[in-house]
Amino acid sequence: MTLNVLTLSTLFPDMSRPNFGVFVERQARELASRPDVNVTVIAPLGIPIWPIGLANQYAPLRALPRKERWKDLTVYRPLFSTIPKIGARYNVGSMTRAILPLVRHLHAQQPFDVIDASFFFPDGPVAQRLSRALGIPYSVKARGADIHYWGKRRDTRAMVKRAGAEAAGLLAVSSAMRRSMVKLGMDAAKIRVHYTGVDLDRFEIADRAVAKDVLGFEGPVVLCVGALIPRKGQDLLVQALPRLPGITLLFAGQGQYRRSLEKLAEELGVDRRIGFLGSVPHDRLPRIYAAADVMALPSSSEGLANAWVESLACGTPIVITDVGGARELLDRPEAGKIVDRDPEAIAAAIGEILYNPPEREAVRDTALRFTWEANADLLLHHLKGIARGG
């Protein structure tokens, strides 16, 4: 019997944002590749209703097809109205109203057995409302900021908790995330730990000297992969750089925080040793990981960052802070170091790895348990159980 899954995700790539939610896409594709599983993706697009000046910024999203085949998946992209900065609590109602007619239509054609919401806000509360309207069970996955940020905000906390309470099952990207969910008041008995996956055929060990030569890198390289936002702690890496003479620091990611980082680098006199690579296409990241001697990401919060696992799969050790599933991932000293969010501690850890680099095969071994096959196996088992009990 075919399991008909509705995947609901506001984190999903498109032609204008090919890296946005790429891990949600990869998870959905792996699930859809299984026999007797049908996956339909609804990836709503929030469009601000004001100010008028934002119209050009969101024009690429408006221009996207409302339905398309995206890497073997059928993806619907309905639009819903948002209010920037102050309207988060209204997004749930706006998004539900925008997509409910479409979901009813699809459900009438081929009934869904279960809703798989890929993020806790606004996806979780919307899945809760769709579940009530259609009479089918739903699951929500917690990834990081959806619990640490939306689960704590005064205007959204209650909605996150209700979505967790009424869900037939819940997923967490790490055991640490599961503990955060329980602390928020969610039922531990229905939360499964669901680790991310990594494409081990693409993210693999490559000759570091050759990779550096191809990319034009010289000397020791520290790489940071992630959006340029304060939570990722890139400023701490800039502050650590004066303690690491001769080291080049590269940022792969984009965001408005770049201007602050550039200004800080100029003040510290290290701007000539920092490079901003912008938003790197996901299929080009393996070569950049391979060219780096260390990948550092001193975040203030994470679930279990995909960049951590990708770097390890390429044999590049990591320096990270004690957040999320850091200790679950770094189960051997060769893989990297967990440090305080302090520039001096970060510099010391990076320096130690550069002075005494580990065997790259030992680093990669840490990532071998994070496969998309294992990810899909657990997800399918989870969703089947929910559908049977629905």
Side-chain angles (χ1 to χ4, degrees):
M1 184 174 179
T2 299
L3 180 71
N4 198 20
V5 180
L6 167 58
T7 293
L8 176 65
S9 180
T10 49
L11 293 174
F12 205 86
D14 55 59
M15 289 185 291
S16 69
R17 304 171 300 175
N19 287 355
F20 185 68
V22 65
F23 305 103
V24 176
E25 172 218 273
R26 186 65 181 82
Q27 177 175 292
R29 286 171 53 207
E30 186 67 32
L31 179 65
S33 72
R34 301 306 173 91
D36 300 326
V37 178
N38 180 53
V39 177
T40 299
V41 178
I42 295 184
L45 303 169
I47 305 296
I49 60 177
W50 66 272
I52 301 300
L54 286 177
N56 291 337
Q57 180 180 340
Y58 285 86
L61 296 185
R62 289 183 179 276
L64 293 173
R66 301 283 77 82
K67 176 185 177 182
E68 65 176 318
R69 289 292 290 177
W70 179 271
K71 298 183 180 178
D72 300 325
L73 292 170
T74 298
V75 180
Y76 294 86
R77 304 184 189 276
L79 305 181
F80 69 98
S81 298
T82 65
I83 303 175
K85 295 185 179 180
I86 63 172
R89 64 184 182 276
Y90 302 115
N91 288 345
V92 172
S94 177
M95 185 169 141
T96 303
R97 289 189 295 272
I99 72 174
L100 184 55
L102 169 63
V103 175
R104 286 190 186 277
H105 173 72
L106 296 174
H107 187 59
Q109 291 182 325
Q110 186 176 9
F112 294 113
D113 299 302
V114 62
I115 301 170
D116 175 28
S118 65
F119 200 63
F120 240 102
F121 192 86
D123 306 16
V126 173
Q128 174 195 12
R129 297 185 181 197
L130 296 179
S131 172
R132 289 179 178 178
L134 302 179
I136 58 176
Y138 72 96
S139 169
V140 191
K141 184 167 184 176
R143 296 178 178 273
D146 47 356
I147 296 298
H148 296 147
Y149 179 71
W150 298 112
K152 293 181 179 179
R153 271 184 51 155
R154 186 176 301 176
D155 57 341
T156 56
R157 177 185 174 97
M159 286 187 281
V160 168
K161 292 179 67 174
R162 281 198 300 271
E166 294 190 19
L170 299 170
L171 297 171
V173 295
S174 66
S175 294
M177 179 57 61
R178 182 177 184 269
R179 291 192 294 272
S180 295
M181 295 164 73
V182 173
K183 187 176 180 180
L184 196 62
M186 298 183 191
D187 183 1
K190 63 181 180 182
I191 305 173
R192 292 175 182 266
V193 175
H194 186 220
Y195 289 124
T196 188
V198 62
D199 188 338
L200 294 171
D201 293 327
R202 176 179 293 176
F203 291 86
E204 59 181 351
I205 296 174
D207 188 290
R208 183 167 285 154
V210 172
K212 286 185 179 183
D213 185 60
V214 169
L215 295 171
F217 300 164
E218 294 182 359
V221 172
V222 175
L223 173 68
C224 178
V225 178
L228 302 184
I229 55 177
R231 178 172 64 85
K232 296 292 184 179
Q234 288 101 345
D235 60 315
L236 299 174
L237 295 176
V238 176
Q239 293 174 52
L241 202 54
R243 299 173 173 86
L244 295 166
I247 307 301
T248 299
L249 173 61
L250 299 176
F251 293 115
Q254 63 182 8
Q256 294 183 344
Y257 197 42
R258 173 173 174 170
R259 296 176 184 174
S260 299
L261 296 173
E262 289 174 332
K263 182 179 179 181
L264 177 61
E266 290 176 3
E267 292 173 352
L268 296 175
V270 295
D271 49 303
R272 293 188 178 183
R273 293 198 285 128
I274 293 180
F276 292 89
L277 305 180
S279 180
V280 178
H282 195 246
D283 59 2
R284 290 180 55 197
L285 277 175
R287 178 174 291 175
I288 297 175
Y289 282 119
D293 298 273
V294 179
M295 202 289 288
L297 190 61
S299 306
S300 60
S301 69
E302 290 285 356
L304 195 149
N306 292 282
W308 298 348
V309 185
E310 289 175 344
S311 183
L312 295 174
C314 293
T316 301
I318 61 178
V319 172
I320 59 178
T321 40
D322 194 3
V323 293
R327 293 188 181 276
E328 297 167 54
L329 177 63
L330 291 185
D331 61 353
R332 64 200 71 189
E334 297 89 348
K337 297 183 181 298
I338 296 175
V339 297
D340 293 333
R341 299 189 80 243
D342 171 75
E344 186 173 346
I346 293 168
I350 292 173
E352 187 175 339
I353 292 175
L354 294 176
Y355 179 76
N356 187 24
E359 290 292 330
R360 299 183 71 187
E361 290 77 10
V363 176
R364 178 175 166 82
D365 283 348
T366 314
L368 297 183
R369 56 199 158 114
F370 294 91
T371 67
W372 285 116
E373 291 79 8
N375 175 281
D377 284 345
L378 190 147
L379 180 59
L380 180 57
H381 178 73
H382 175 74
L383 295 178
K384 279 184 173 180
I386 289 174
R388 283 196 298 266

